[in-house]
Amino acid sequence: MSQATLGDDEELFGEAANEMREDVEASLEEAWAALPAADDIWETDADNVLGVLNGLNSALDAGDAEDSLRDAKKWFTMGQRADAFDDADDLEEEIEALEEAITDISEAGEQVGELTSTIPALRGTLQDAGPEETTDGTDDDAEDDADEE
């Protein structure tokens, strides 16, 4: 190989490394943008607890963020193995922070999902608990106590 070819290869490698870093950064930016907004998980228009939980469960979706994170990790891993990045600590830290945010969102979604199925059953239990009401608005136990006197 001639010197000119080696110089061209280094230049091409440098360009590829820059493009790879830009791809990682773009994927990370897309992932952050795909996460739910803080207000989306904090504010609600629901009339009851189940409505709040259903709305929250819908807001806790990080699907597109997960896809973008996967792309970022793919290009980051490739760049690291090729030793293409001069300094990749910032990318690695951002990937870790994004993974943590997605994990937190996913775990919160699981907890909300459990509550979404538990609350209606709890409501039914509480509605069925206690003395039965008669058609005149009094409870049967009060009438039984009065009969015993």
Side-chain angles (χ1 to χ4, degrees), residues 95-113:
I95 287 171
E96 289 173 7
L98 185 56
E99 282 180 317
E100 188 176 316
I102 289 173
T103 298
D104 289 349
I105 291 167
S106 178
E107 288 174 358
E110 289 174 14
Q111 293 172 356
V112 169

Side-chain angles (χ1 to χ4, degrees), residues 10-146:
E10 284 297 316
E11 185 178 323
L12 290 174
F13 186 79
E15 284 180 35
N18 287 337
E19 288 175 11
M20 204 173 297
R21 183 178 183 89
E22 288 171 5
D23 286 345
V24 172
E25 290 171 345
S27 292
L28 288 171
E29 190 175 312
E30 289 172 13
W32 286 115
L35 292 178
D39 287 346
D40 291 345
I41 64 166
W42 190 253
E43 296 175 3
T44 185
D45 292 329
D47 294 330
N48 58 45
V49 172
L50 188 57
V52 169
L53 292 173
N54 283 329
L56 181 57
N57 204 17
S58 295
L60 292 171
D61 179 18
D64 291 340
E66 290 172 340
D67 294 341
S68 295
L69 174 62
R70 180 173 173 76
D71 285 344
K73 288 174 73 172
K74 175 177 59 176
W75 291 113
F76 178 77
T77 301
M78 193 149 173
Q80 270 194 319
R81 288 191 181 163
D83 201 24
F85 302 133
D86 290 333
D87 180 21
D89 291 344
D90 61 328
L91 294 176
E92 192 168 12
E93 288 173 10
E94 189 171 355
I95 287 171
E96 289 173 7
L98 185 56
E99 282 180 317
E100 188 176 316
I102 289 173
T103 298
D104 289 349
I105 291 167
S106 178
E107 288 174 358
E110 289 174 14
Q111 293 172 356
V112 169
E114 289 175 19
L115 278 173
T116 301
S117 63
T118 302
I119 294 298
L122 178 60
R123 180 178 186 231
T125 298
L126 293 172
Q127 285 175 331
D128 293 343
E132 291 183 33
E133 286 193 19
T134 61
T135 55
D136 64 358
T138 61
D139 64 30
D140 288 339
D141 289 344
E143 287 180 15
D144 290 343
D145 291 344

